[in-house]
Amino acid sequence: MASNQNLKELQWALQAINSEVLNLHSISFYLSQPTSACYQETDNSININISKENLPFFSDLLTELAASKSTKSTLRNLEFHRVEWEIQQVRNLGTLLGNNQSIQQVVFRRNRFNGKTLSDLSDILKANKVIKEIMLSESGIGSVGAGLIASALMVNESLEELQIWEDSIGSRGAEELSKMIEVNPTLKLLTIFDSNAITATPLISAVLARNRNMEVHVWSGENGEKSSKVVEFVPGNSTLRIYKLNLSGACRVICSLGMNSTVKSLDMTGVKLKSRCAKELRWVLEQNQTLKELNLSRTCLKDKGIVYVAAGLFKNHSLQTLHLTGNWFSGVGVEHLLCPLSRFSALQMQANITLKCVTFGGGRTRIGRDGLAALTQFLTTNETVRKLGIHDDESLRSDDYVKIFKSLEKNASLKCLSLQGCKGVQGETLLQTIMETLHINPWIEDIDLSRTPLHSSGKTTGIYQRLGQNENTEPEMDLLKDMPLTEPKSCRVFFCAQECAGKTTLCHSISQNFSASTLPYLDQVRTIVNPVEQAVKTVGMKIKTFNDEDTKISIWNLAGQHEFFSLHDLMFPGHGSASFFIIILSLFRKPSNKEPKSTEEIEEDLQYWLRFIVSNSKRAVQQCMLPSVAVVLTHFDKINQSSQNFQQTVDSIQRLRDKFQGFVDFYPTVFTVDARSSASVSKLTHHIRKTCKTILQRVPRVYQLCNDLIQILSDWRSENYNKPAMKWKEFGELCQVKVPPLRIRSRHYNKEVVEMKRKAVATCLHHIGEVIYFDELGFLILDCEWFCGEVLGQLIKLNVRKQHSSENSGFISRKELEKILRGSLQSPIPGMGSKVFENLDASDLVRMMLKLELCYEQDPSDPNSLLLIPSILEEGRGKPQRWQLSTPDCIYAGRHLECDDSSHMFLTPGFFPRLQVHLHNRIKALQNQHGATYFLEKYLISISINGIYIRVELGGQLGYYIDILACSTKNLTETLRVIQQLIIPAIQSVCHGITMTENVIRPECVRNLTPPRYRRTQFVSLQQLKQALLSLPAESMYDYQHTWSSVLDSGRPTLQEGFDLARDLLSDDDFREVLHRRYHDLHNLAQELQVPPENNIEGQDQSITSSSESGTVDPTFGGIAKGVEEVLQRLRIIEQEIRDLKQEIQGLRYYEHRLLLELHRKVNYIATFNLQVEERKVPNMFYFVNTENYSRRLITTMVSGMTALRLHMLCEFRGQMHVVEDQMGCEMMQVDNMAVKALAPYMKKFMTLVTFALKIGAHLAAGMGQMIPDLGKEVAHLTGSSVLFGAAAAGAVGAAAGMGRRNRSMEGSRGIQQDLRAAQQWVVDFLRERRCSTGKDIAEKFGLWRVRYRDSGQIAWICRRHIYSRSAEIIEVPV
């Protein structure tokens, strides 16, 4: 009966499997049950129990399930309990899994497999592509089953989770699974619960070594113990936790992390490690690039193991957190641990800069004395660690913690300090030290003192209150407003002289005058050996300092050797610095003989230094007063004071003093001294003292903090082995500790404001000469003499050429330059050579050379760019010079840039290297676009840009001009555009304060590369050439020729006379500028003449036809504007259609012709105005000439009180009015107010006509040009602005002006009529007073005769030449 019931249950199960109503997702089989049954557990799952007697029915169920269509797409999970698998059953399972493509999870609980069934199951898994999860729990698969499953998963690409619970797969099975892990890319979860923890090692090692993103959990329960976790790896948070591993297993897992990139956090807390594991960990730390956190707490590491860990930190660049609490190391381990996190000299770099958090202590850790010393060094020098923890320490005393907190005063990086459980944290002294540290160091955010005696006694409240105050933001002051100013207390005296002038000896003698009675013993010894020192020439810059009451005076002895001259620009004071100059001139060529210098040599030396001072003072950003200069003549004891040569020297100095008046403040007394005698230099010493006090009162004030910092920096040097340089970080720490106004007061205080104040003070110290500060380089030079002598002096003398074999035109790699610097500045003998590298690194020196422009980068954007060192460039003078191109169609052009005031200024020795720097960078920016190339020599820059070859040459004995020579296959305009837009702007940008005038070089000199000494006279001013073109009529401009003089060498002609057309010297741009200026002048002429006449005069038939309704225009001032409208319109069309320079000139000639007609018409109008005034018995066109100093100068304005004037008259023949040659004129003794009132309006109108006539080459002004030597200055007030614009712009202005002319014409006509009537009446009265009213008198004094035109009947006064040549047009009418 029971068996029948069981059968019904199983049959129901079959029906349920085939039913589409249940929609089954999960089926669980329970075999070897007491009874067979089937029941529905949930809506989508059923449990099938099969008794032992119905076991054969299990195969039928599997077969039926495989054939069922209702479950084919819905069944997800299969679970088997207590199944003892037979071969047929496994095959049926395989059929089921093969037919059903939706089953994703298969669970075997307490199943039993034999070798054959396990093999068949493995084959099933190999073929299946759907199953995601398999779990085997207490199924006894052993190592063999693990190997078979592993072999299947090597092929399977669908399984994502594998769980083996409470089985013993052994090390062999674990190894097989590890091999599977190496090749299986899809498995995401592996869970193993084994009886032995050893299985974890190969599994986790494979996962880590292959960088699998596979979650791993390994458990174990050995010898009946409670189960515990062995290893856990969660890729989601990249955390690997190792709870229990033996030594070999731990070493293997650690090794697998070497190239791993999936683990960011490794926790090995409690795993006992030895030095062997630590040695492997060192390799991991050196290789791994992703590990961020490492916890080795309670791992029993001793000193040797810590040494290995520390060694790994030296090369590690990823680890951020390291926990080492509860270990067994001593102070030696602490010393090694903190070594990569500390610096032991100013030049050493911190090895590890990524570690942010370190904790240690507790257990058997004993920090001790060695550990304390390492700890204080770490806290003083580390710049990266944010959190430090020392836990449960019992080895340090209260005094030791005082030292720790003292060392924190200068630490700006540590945010959190944890001392929890430390027994030595106690006592009032420590509490006071902590409070003082928190006042100085605002960056500490948290101090954990829990479980310490200080915390237990309740004394930490004040500490936490102060930490809270450090969070508060204090109100900011107005930037630098709260920094008071005061008078500076230090002044610099620059000794300028050539070598062997006695600067050093003079400096020693002055020092004796300053403190002869109070010299220290060492200085007395120096004074005694001074004569011996005189035999050795001083090399490099020297600085000697004296104290005069509360004033500090430092004498800067500028090096006299020529190789140091390029450094003088760098040392020149600026920004209102308190300083002055002593120019020392030796009266003898060498100090050891009696051969005196000539006056010319002394004058040349003095002029060089004066021009150097003036040139550099122009470059200074701020110049509050003229440079103060005094002259000293040395070796005065060797000369005869009454000698003629000495008197000539004194006179030449006086001439130079007068010449440089207004450029320097020249002390009137010339000091003559014997530099060896302190008595002889006493007056000079007094002058230095007095001048220093005067200058200190006149220069701008400095920050009060500067005077305080001078002593603070001096004390710092004393405490730091007299270091000559300090890093900016050290300066900031010093300010934080010693200078409260420059202290950061809280964590949230505006650090940028304090940093700005510190930089402002450092810059001020730099300007007053106390330090040398480079903001970009990040350090201060405290010993200026050391910097100038040991550093700069060595840098400019680098023998790079011998050590640098490659030919790169002065280029060298950064690494090679650093190597040369080390080789040049370090001696192989200990204690010998320069000590630069004790304070600065080679990379610092390279960056300094870049800052000082002693070298520069080929490509600033490339950190490995080659460097160019101008000082190692070879000089090319003496070598044959030729162009790279020599084709007949080449164009040659040159520009000569000269100092506008070359008598007072020149291009200083540092100018050309700066130009090489600046121009190189500009050209480099063009290289990708134009294929620009360059080549450099000491005084030459050769450039090639898109077929244009350019040479930039430095010339002149004192470098006062630059020649730019170009050879090109392009046209002249393109060639000159490169010069105008690239080369000249680069030159002007580096010659600050010096104006350069542009000249045109003779093309023949450029073609033949004529030496500079022969082309000194072969250039013409660009503006002068343009002005010459402006003085010509339009038809002559295009064919204007400039004539060159010949050049002789020892009587032999080197260059013949010749000429060049202006169009071959100027670009189209220059020519158009000239044409536009002519357009501008013509347009102004049309604008100026806007006054209509009183009546319509004769000559209407000659008026200009216009587009107006009337068809004709009155020949009057007002009529000109109307008549010119058509001209302006025509000009707009011309300018739009311009394609060639000749066509533009033709347009200009047309415009000029039309306006000339109007100009002559206007002049005719003035000449024939008011026929009723004495019936034209006297000429109307008159002008005045000043005859002082045997010259004739045209008077453009009338001023009361003028004398020595002569009245002259123009020939009035229409259209050809001109100055009459050899005209006697009539003398005018003095101009009174009545004459000014009558003549001033007429003079303005008439001179306007003359001005424009001169500019457009009209006959009206014939003969007047020579009476106006500088037309621009004389009549600038008449012509208005000189802004250049084209004809289109002129037309626009003219059209706008014409809008209001009709209304203004009547008012203007009455004004001009009154002006002309008053002027002409004055002339009539004046001539009557001079008894010159008859025709005969006028002919004698003015060479003019009265005539009448036959056609118009108008009266005119004309010259004898026109009477003869135009006799057919006129009738003589005597008066």
Side-chain angles (χ1 to χ4, degrees), residues 842-1121:
S843 60
D844 289 334
L845 291 181
V846 173
R847 288 187 291 119
M848 184 188 305
M849 293 177 70
L850 289 168
K851 170 66 179 177
L852 298 177
E853 296 182 340
L854 298 175
C855 70
Y856 65 95
E857 297 170 299
Q858 186 182 34
D859 183 3
S861 62
D862 182 8
N864 300 317
S865 171
L866 292 176
L867 304 176
L868 174 64
I869 307 178
S871 62
I872 68 173
L873 295 172
E874 295 183 355
E875 186 171 355
R877 291 174 179 171
K879 298 180 181 179
Q881 304 291 332
R882 60 186 180 86
W883 289 108
Q884 297 182 24
L885 293 176
S886 59
T887 57
D889 58 341
C890 283
I891 296 295
Y892 297 93
R895 290 294 184 264
H896 174 90
L897 301 184
E898 189 172 83
C899 291
D900 186 39
D901 187 6
S902 58
S903 62
H904 295 98
M905 291 179 287
F906 63 89
L907 302 172
T908 57
F911 163 77
F912 204 68
R914 286 198 306 272
L915 178 61
Q916 289 174 316
V917 171
H918 190 70
L919 191 54
H920 169 270
N921 291 339
R922 288 201 176 199
I923 294 170
K924 188 64 180 177
L926 301 175
Q927 189 165 4
N928 294 334
Q929 300 175 6
H930 303 285
T933 61
Y934 51 88
F935 176 79
L936 300 176
E937 294 180 4
K938 197 172 187 65
Y939 301 110
L940 172 68
I941 304 173
S942 296
I943 306 165
S944 170
I945 302 178
N946 196 22
I948 300 174
Y949 295 87
I950 299 175
R951 294 168 58 93
V952 182
E953 300 180 358
L954 176 68
Q957 184 178 3
L958 295 177
Y960 61 88
Y961 69 82
I962 294 286
D963 280 347
I964 307 169
L965 313 178
C967 170
S968 171
T969 57
K970 309 293 182 182
N971 59 44
L972 180 63
T973 297
E974 290 184 43
T975 304
L976 290 177
R977 276 177 183 168
V978 173
I979 295 177
Q980 295 286 349
Q981 298 174 11
L982 177 66
I983 309 299
I984 293 180
I987 293 173
Q988 291 173 339
S989 64
V990 295
C991 57
H992 309 288
I994 298 178
T995 303
M996 307 292 287
T997 58
E998 185 176 350
N999 301 272
V1000 180
I1001 299 178
R1002 182 176 182 177
E1004 184 180 350
C1005 295
V1006 181
R1007 180 189 303 108
N1008 301 325
L1009 290 178
T1010 304
R1013 65 181 182 274
Y1014 295 134
R1015 60 174 186 252
R1016 289 176 183 172
T1017 60
Q1018 301 300 297
F1019 57 84
V1020 60
S1021 169
L1022 179 63
Q1023 292 303 320
Q1024 181 181 338
L1025 190 59
K1026 291 180 179 179
Q1027 195 63 41
L1029 290 175
L1030 285 172
S1031 66
L1032 298 173
E1035 62 269 12
S1036 304
M1037 295 174 69
Y1038 193 73
D1039 297 321
Y1040 174 74
Q1041 299 175 352
H1042 178 78
T1043 304
W1044 305 103
S1045 61
S1046 61
V1047 177
L1048 302 179
D1049 183 18
S1050 301
R1052 298 180 179 179
T1054 302
L1055 285 172
Q1056 301 289 343
E1057 291 183 355
F1059 67 88
D1060 283 295
L1061 294 170
R1063 62 175 182 265
D1064 295 332
L1065 300 176
L1066 301 177
S1067 67
D1068 289 354
D1069 300 331
D1070 292 326
F1071 233 105
R1072 285 191 172 89
E1073 177 187 333
V1074 173
L1075 297 179
H1076 289 169
R1077 287 176 63 181
R1078 176 63 63 84
Y1079 278 131
H1080 179 61
D1081 294 338
L1082 296 177
H1083 174 71
N1084 278 352
L1085 176 60
Q1087 291 286 316
E1088 287 285 340
L1089 311 178
Q1090 296 182 9
V1091 183
E1094 182 178 8
N1095 299 310
N1096 192 8
I1097 64 171
E1098 300 178 5
Q1100 292 287 344
D1101 55 319
Q1102 298 180 7
S1103 62
I1104 298 177
T1105 303
S1106 69
S1107 58
S1108 62
E1109 297 178 0
S1110 62
T1112 60
V1113 177
D1114 294 337
T1116 63
F1117 285 167
I1120 286 180

Side-chain angles (χ1 to χ4, degrees), residues 184 373 501 716 734 779 786 1001 1327:
N184 187 295
W716 184 88
L734 184 66
F779 53 80
W786 169 84
I1001 299 178
L1327 293 178

